[in-house]
Amino acid sequence: MGLSDLDLAARALLALPQDTWAAAAGQLIEAAHTADLWRKCHGRSHPGGGTGSLYAQASLLPRDGSPHSSARYCSALLAVLQALEIWRQRGHREV
């Protein structure tokens, strides 16, 4: 996972109400993981989830173009990172 994955996921959260970010970030990560497992099993992209990267999953959603330096963008990025940490603590190692 790279910075572009995190950036696009944060921008997808920005298009949503802030009180939904934690849940939405978790769902985004789970959806990317599901698409990744599909890709590994079937040898091709998931029909509704792309390649299984967080970038591919977030690119399916509406996004906001807030500047990287805004407090709101930083909060959205933090929500993605926190959701990723929770996901990894449950035993997952890849997105």
Side-chain angles (χ1 to χ4, degrees), residues 6 12 19-20 37 39-42 48-49 63 73 78 80 90 92 95:
L6 298 173
D19 62 343
T20 66
L37 293 175
R39 180 188 55 79
K40 289 175 180 174
C41 180
H42 298 283
R63 293 174 303 282
Y73 174 84
L78 180 59
V80 173
R90 290 195 324 251
H92 301 290
V95 173

Side-chain angles (χ1 to χ4, degrees), residues 4-9 32 51-60 95:
S4 59
D5 296 90
L6 298 173
D7 175 61
L8 213 60
T51 61
S53 69
L54 191 54
Y55 185 97
Q57 198 66 41
S59 70
L60 299 171
V95 173

Side-chain angles (χ1 to χ4, degrees), residues 17-93:
Q18 190 167 356
D19 62 343
T20 66
W21 287 358
Q27 291 168 354
L28 188 61
I29 292 165
E30 286 294 338
H33 180 64
T34 299
D36 185 49
L37 293 175
W38 169 278
R39 180 188 55 79
K40 289 175 180 174
C41 180
H42 298 283
R44 56 189 156 90
S45 294
H46 185 279
T51 61
S53 69
L54 191 54
Y55 185 97
Q57 198 66 41
S59 70
L60 299 171
L61 304 173
R63 293 174 303 282
D64 187 290
S66 295
H68 287 102
S69 60
S70 77
R72 188 166 155 76
Y73 174 84
C74 292
S75 293
L77 183 57
L78 180 59
V80 173
L81 291 169
Q82 288 171 332
L84 186 58
E85 180 61 22
I86 290 167
W87 182 81
R88 286 193 170 155
Q89 286 176 358
R90 290 195 324 251
H92 301 290
R93 297 289 171 222

